[in-house]
Amino acid sequence: MTDSPLPGGTSLQRLNFSAMKYVDSGNGRMPLISLIAILAISLTINLPGLAVSPMLGHLRDVFHSSELESQLLTSLPNLVMIPVVLIAGKLSTPRWQTAVLTTGLSLFLVAGVASLFAESMGLLIVLGCLCGVGCGLVVPIAAGYISEWFMAKPRQRDLGLKSTTSNTMVIIANVYVGWIAVHNWHAAFAVYLVPLVPLVLVPFMTQKYIRGHRKLTAPAPQTSAAGHAAADDAAPQAGHFQGKESFRLLVALIMLYMILTYCTTSISYYAPFMMEKYGMNTTQVGIVTAAYYLMVAVSGAFVSRLKRFFGRRVVIIGLAIIAAGLVVIGITHSYLLMTFASLATGFAYGIIQPIIYNKTPYIAPNRKLGMTYFGYVLSSNYMAIMMVPFVDSFFRKLFHSTSPGFEFVFSGAVVVLLLIWAIFERDNYVFEVNPLSAAPSAQEVRAADAAESILDKK
């Protein structure tokens, strides 16, 4: 199957060229509608499990299930996503991108519709896993499209907007679920109908549509008769890390993202149970959870300015803020303090997340491997979400803790260890940030590989 417009085209696709709005792509201009369509994919990528987390305590009471069983509704979909994301990263070549994207969104939507009518925790978990499969297919494409079609500062801007879009959707979902669950928990699963939005916009992000409507300021990479980038994209490229260094940086970036996500996900997993024990309702739980995602979204939208404000050590500063925020949530009984600490944690995480996204394409040895590397890095996000209840349960038993806020304090301590690692490795590419660049440093990736080995020895 290859990318093609819908049969006969659609009235939407026949937009007047002269009336079409464009945005800067770093190498020319891209149709605004294509950027909107690409960002719409990110509406779905944080939804499986996390969207319904504010009502986990309520569902536990409805089905008389254990705390761990109700948490499986969040963790298992993310476990399923891990291998799917890795597979999708390899499948999502230009030839198959639209097919993979459409399949994933359709699976997610079908499972979402079925969830509205489910009557048991077991069926909800199974349908959640099907949502995870569908979401896993689209996750690498959400970031990979931006890396493929945008360069330099526009890429940084749009990866920040990607983070903003995905987390804004979680904010809306958490507030909605926290409010509606009190009246009708079935209706809460309406948030899983969101894949319909990017499905409608798929025609505007096909290879054929974008290549036919973008305006370049430099010649496009040479393409084959099939319309695909030439094999040069698979060769090592200047400005990208190579060999063992590429692998080491990939592992370090994965570890940073996985551990940081694991720690901050405590807010989604444990706020419902901790706040319930303190006599707070699902609406308050939804607001505390949404506060975190609100600031992740806001920070993502302004990441370039925040990088300039905090400077080269922005990652280290962010880790310190996250550690403090998690500890405060764990030790306070105040709803107001929890909300402020959640805002602070989301603010810092929202800066670090797009920085990780920005670095990923440069760690890949060439553009062709960019989508695969995004698959590796993004799969660590879902690995982190999946392992939260199991790791925290182990350490709670190990320390014989009965404190409702144990998981937050423990997560804060783990972030302190990350902070120590970052301080010792502050000049490592993973932790060092060039405030004026979209991503590179490490001496601008070894001065673009020594000016491409002095233009290949001339």
Side-chain angles (χ1 to χ4, degrees):
M1 179 176 177
T2 59
D3 283 342
S4 61
L6 298 180
T10 67
S11 57
L12 283 174
Q13 275 185 301
R14 294 193 215 85
L15 286 170
N16 189 313
F17 244 78
S18 61
M20 189 179 294
K21 293 188 178 296
Y22 285 83
V23 293
D24 183 14
S25 67
N27 187 33
R29 294 190 295 162
M30 175 79 70
L32 175 61
I33 187 66
S34 294
L35 174 59
I36 292 171
I38 291 168
L39 291 175
I41 303 171
S42 295
L43 292 171
T44 67
I45 64 175
N46 282 341
L47 286 183
L50 291 184
V52 296
S53 62
M55 67 171 180
L56 290 182
H58 182 70
L59 288 178
R60 181 189 60 189
D61 296 336
V62 169
F63 294 112
H64 307 291
S65 58
S66 67
E67 182 174 313
L68 181 60
E69 185 180 4
S70 58
Q71 286 174 336
L72 290 178
L73 191 59
T74 301
S75 60
L76 278 186
N78 288 282
L79 174 62
V80 169
M81 286 177 70
I82 296 165
V84 179
V85 169
L86 294 174
I87 293 168
K90 293 184 177 296
L91 286 178
S92 300
T93 60
R95 181 182 179 85
W96 292 100
Q97 279 170 352
T98 302
V100 173
L101 177 63
T102 305
T103 301
L105 292 172
S106 300
L107 279 174
F108 196 157
L109 182 60
V110 168
V113 171
S115 295
L116 290 167
F117 306 99
E119 291 290 348
S120 71
M121 181 66 82
L123 182 56
L124 284 174
I125 291 172
V126 170
L127 291 172
C129 289
L130 185 58
C131 286
V133 172
C135 187
L137 287 172
V138 308
V139 162
I141 297 174
Y145 267 167
I146 295 172
S147 178
E148 180 179 358
W149 297 114
F150 294 87
M151 301 172 62
K153 288 186 178 180
R155 178 188 287 173
Q156 175 179 264
R157 173 201 68 200
D158 296 334
L159 285 171
L161 288 175
K162 172 195 174 299
S163 178
T164 297
T165 303
S166 60
N167 288 293
T168 298
M169 187 63 242
V170 177
I171 296 166
I172 296 168
N174 274 271
V175 172
Y176 167 74
V177 169
W179 168 72
I180 199 68
V182 177
H183 309 286
N184 185 340
W185 65 265
H186 283 97
F189 287 95
V191 296
Y192 284 170
L193 305 183
V194 167
L196 186 60
V197 177
L199 262 176
V200 170
L201 294 172
V202 162
F204 300 110
M205 47 183 145
T206 62
Q207 291 278 327
K208 184 170 183 177
Y209 182 87
I210 294 177
R211 290 188 188 280
H213 291 79
R214 64 178 176 164
K215 297 179 179 180
L216 297 176
T217 54
Q222 201 156 9
T223 57
S224 68
H228 307 141
D232 292 6
D233 277 354
Q237 290 172 346
H240 292 248
F241 291 94
Q242 307 296 328
K244 291 182 179 178
E245 189 172 22
S246 171
F247 177 75
R248 284 197 303 269
L249 291 173
L250 174 64
V251 171
L253 205 63
I254 286 172
M255 292 302 296
L256 172 63
Y257 195 24
M258 182 170 67
I259 296 171
L260 194 56
T261 302
Y262 151 74
C263 293
T264 55
T265 300
S266 297
I267 294 173
S268 289
Y269 267 91
Y270 296 106
F273 304 106
M274 181 183 72
M275 294 175 70
E276 185 182 49
K277 288 177 182 176
Y278 294 154
M280 301 177 197
N281 59 41
T282 57
T283 300
Q284 290 173 311
V285 172
I287 290 172
V288 167
T289 308
Y292 166 75
Y293 289 105
L294 170 65
M295 290 312 296
V296 176
V298 170
S299 299
F302 297 100
V303 65
S304 59
R305 295 182 186 179
L306 292 168
K307 280 168 60 178
R308 289 196 296 271
F309 179 79
F310 287 111
R312 293 174 60 211
R313 305 307 178 197
V314 60
V315 173
I316 292 174
I317 294 167
L319 290 173
I321 293 172
I322 290 169
L326 290 171
V327 171
V328 168
I329 293 172
I331 63 178
T332 187
H333 290 202
S334 164
Y335 165 62
L336 192 60
L337 270 179
M338 285 181 191
T339 304
F340 279 122
S342 184
L343 286 167
T345 303
F347 170 75
Y349 183 82
I351 299 172
I352 296 174
Q353 186 183 54
I355 288 174
I356 291 172
Y357 294 161
N358 287 337
K359 289 178 180 291
T360 301
Y362 300 96
I363 287 174
N366 53 58
R367 283 189 67 187
K368 186 173 183 179
L369 285 173
M371 191 84 76
T372 301
Y373 271 51
F374 267 119
Y376 294 147
V377 171
L378 293 169
S379 67
S380 68
N381 176 69
Y382 302 103
M383 172 68 79
I385 296 170
M386 178 277 302
M387 71 188 207
V388 169
F390 306 103
V391 173
D392 286 344
S393 177
F394 171 80
F395 281 102
R396 179 181 275 276
K397 290 176 182 176
L398 182 67
F399 290 108
H400 305 289
S401 175
T402 57
S403 168
F406 167 81
E407 289 82 7
F408 292 99
V409 176
F410 178 73
S411 293
V414 173
V415 177
V416 169
L417 295 179
L418 266 185
L419 177 60
I420 294 170
W421 176 33
I423 291 171
F424 276 103
E425 292 286 321
R426 58 188 175 276
D427 294 325
N428 186 303
Y429 178 74
V430 171
F431 299 108
E432 184 186 27
V433 173
N434 181 348
L436 303 177
S437 172
S441 195
Q443 285 59 62
E444 299 302 311
V445 189
R446 313 293 180 240
D449 294 346
E452 204 163 3
S453 255
I454 312 297
L455 295 178
D456 292 325
K457 306 293 184 188
K458 299 189 177 179

